[in-house]
Amino acid sequence: MSITKGLPASFGAESYDAIVVGAGFAGAVCARMLAEACGTKVAVIERRNHIAGNAYDCYDEAGVLVHQYGPHIYHTTNDRVHQFLSRFTEWLPYEHKVLANIHGELMPVPFNHKSLKMAFGEERGEYLYQKLVATFGENKKVPIMELRKKNDPDLTEVADYVYENVFLYYTMKQWGKTPDQIDPSITGRVPVFVGDDDRYFPTAPHQGMPAEGYTKLFERLLDHDLIDVFLGTDVRDVLQIKGDLIYVCDHPYGGEVIYTGQLDELFDLDLGALPYRTLDMQFETLQQDQFQPVATVNYTTTEDFTRITEFKLMTGQELPGVTTIMREYSKAYEPESGQTPYYAILEDETQALYQRYRERVDGILNFHCVGRLAEYRYYDMDGVVASALDLSDEIISSNG
Ligand code: FAD
Ligand code: UDP
């Protein structure tokens, strides 16, 4: 592998069998798969000055390993994804736990048996818990929007409490909308848990943190003789779609193009911008051993930020007397502003707009969209890796 800052004047697309746009999980996995399986020579073109996309991590001035684009916790139920990634990293055992700060009291989220007793008192909490068990069964996940539909005064009491104290204000901050106004799959990511397990991902058999961080994982993933990475290069400066043809450096390009950026940007937003939420992340280094009891505390009833993450507590780094925390403030993304489009806004109209862009490229057989941006989806890392592995399989079998 070579990593070059900027695209050299000598860059010749014809020397590459494939161009991958973006060095995040989607792009890096495809690059590796194609290079390995069919000897494809791949150019990875990345706008940022680093690899790893939004999973990028680095050491800050205090020596704390921080996640530059928000806390990333690896978890998956997908064995293939886990086996694939495990070739490039060892894993530190880490099970993510989150507490919600509800008017100053810290309760487990997903809301569970213990949270119920904290919210309603030992006796009433236990009664309500048994009611949940009788209704849904033990160790079951119940999305809040499902719980709200139950026509039973006890369950309504629980649903109202959780809706008001866990979901309403946090969701307003994160999305600028109430939970009723957003796709139920979003709040469904953090269902009420009818049980005692207080892990954020109670059913993921594989969870942890890459032992030397995500960026190191990516260095190994991209470390292949047939992969060249070009950083600090916006692909739109060299690649255009004209009708059913892809042009690179003003010449038609017949190799495979794997695109992991925003689809609207590729067409200068000419049908309108796909909306996103972005985040302001405010890092602060404190001269103390520890700031909070768990790695992430969600502020669900107060404050303007959504959550505080303390990185040391998830990476297992031992650094006495110093710690770095990060507050996340969500706001609407402004297109072409240099902001990062973190979250696609999943609504019927936005999906329809995405499909209109997508139709323009679906007929181009050597152009492929994959990843959280290019598919305009709310993917976790493992979902992106799974999608990239599937796409690579397709390309490999069509080339073979
Ligand atoms: P990205 O990582 O965004 O990579 C796309 C790359 O393409 C970027 O590096 C971008 O610079 C580049 N690019 C875009 N346009 C161009 C262009 N025109 N030219 C050149 N390069 C371009 N997932 C989990 O599993 N666990 C978590 O705990 C978790 N936490 C998250 C927290 C936050 C705040 C966010 C926003 C996401 C989180 N995720 C988490 C999701 C995870 O970040 C994504 O699933 C994953 O990183 C997406 O990978 P990707 O390759 O599709 O996109
Ligand atoms: N959510 C909430 N309160 C919480 C946790 C989550 O309202 O304490 C809602 C909120 O709408 C959020 C969504 O559930 O956007 C998904 O939460 P998750 O933690 O999965 O978000 P991510 O880590 O992807 O930002």
Side-chain angles (χ1 to χ4, degrees), residues 25-26 46-47 54 71-73 234-235 342 372 379-381:
F25 269 110
E46 168 56 58
R47 180 153 67 185
N54 283 346
H72 278 69
I73 300 98
D234 192 320
V235 86
Y342 284 113
R372 182 153 154 142
Y379 266 133
D380 285 324
M381 294 180 282

Side-chain angles (χ1 to χ4, degrees), residues 31-304:
R32 180 74 186 210
M33 285 288 285
L34 296 189
E36 234 168 40
C38 18
T40 305
K41 186 144 196 319
V42 188
V44 178
I45 297 182
E46 168 56 58
R47 180 153 67 185
R48 291 167 170 165
N49 280 319
H50 59 73
I51 56 174
N54 283 346
Y56 175 71
D57 54 15
C58 59
Y59 290 89
D60 69 8
E61 284 177 8
V64 180
L65 181 61
V66 297
H67 297 178
Q68 199 67 46
Y69 304 95
H72 278 69
I73 300 98
Y74 170 72
H75 58 101
T76 189
T77 55
N78 185 319
D79 290 335
R80 183 180 184 203
V81 165
H82 188 63
Q83 275 163 18
F84 180 79
L85 292 179
S86 299
R87 289 177 51 202
F88 309 104
T89 186
E90 307 264 312
W91 300 100
L92 284 180
Y94 172 71
E95 296 183 319
H96 194 46
K97 293 189 179 174
V98 175
L99 295 171
N101 183 318
I102 300 180
H103 298 297
E105 201 171 355
L106 297 179
M107 302 189 195
V109 169
F111 206 82
N112 67 5
H113 191 183
K114 182 172 177 196
S115 328
L116 268 173
K117 292 206 261 187
M118 290 179 82
F120 292 94
E122 193 67 31
E123 206 172 312
R124 178 85 186 136
E126 187 58 32
Y127 169 80
L128 291 171
Y129 177 67
Q130 292 308 332
K131 192 86 186 242
L132 285 170
V133 171
T135 312
F136 300 104
E138 214 157 11
N139 294 325
K140 289 285 174 337
K141 294 174 170 178
V142 185
I144 182 62
M145 302 315 276
E146 290 298 315
L147 188 58
R148 291 190 91 208
K149 288 184 193 149
K150 288 284 170 199
N151 204 1
D152 171 287
D154 291 328
L155 298 181
T156 302
E157 190 180 347
V158 177
D160 285 351
Y161 182 91
V162 176
Y163 184 85
E164 294 287 334
N165 291 289
V166 178
F167 286 98
L168 184 56
Y169 186 54
Y170 188 104
T171 299
M172 288 294 296
K173 287 189 280 189
Q174 175 72 3
W175 299 99
K177 296 196 168 153
T178 65
D180 314 77
Q181 292 169 325
I182 63 172
D183 193 291
S185 66
I186 297 174
T187 48
R189 289 167 56 87
V190 191
V192 169
F193 190 71
V194 187
D196 290 298
D197 199 329
D198 60 352
R199 293 173 300 166
Y200 209 58
F201 309 110
T203 50
H206 313 293
Q207 43 189 308
M209 299 298 282
E212 294 156 90
Y214 288 98
T215 306
K216 207 61 186 172
L217 184 166
F218 274 82
E219 282 172 12
R220 297 202 188 99
L221 182 55
L222 289 165
D223 184 14
H224 191 286
D225 287 348
L226 294 174
I227 300 177
D228 292 333
V229 180
F230 300 94
L231 298 176
T233 305
D234 192 320
V235 86
R236 292 174 297 169
D237 295 340
V238 289
L239 184 149
Q240 287 86 34
I241 305 263
K242 295 178 189 164
D244 279 352
L245 287 180
I246 305 168
Y247 284 76
V248 180
C249 303
D250 296 325
H251 297 292
Y253 183 73
E256 306 289 353
V257 172
I258 290 149
Y259 183 75
T260 77
Q262 291 155 263
L263 212 40
D264 56 352
E265 278 195 343
L266 203 52
F267 295 101
D268 295 327
L269 319 180
D270 66 353
L271 298 174
L274 287 167
Y276 291 89
R277 298 292 287 181
T278 188
L279 299 170
D280 276 339
M281 299 194 185
Q282 294 194 359
F283 291 82
E284 188 181 359
T285 296
L286 305 165
Q287 306 304 316
Q288 61 193 73
D289 284 340
Q290 192 166 341
F291 173 76
Q292 60 190 23
V294 290
T296 299
V297 175
N298 289 355
Y299 284 76
T300 59
T301 57
T302 55
E303 311 299 343
D304 293 338

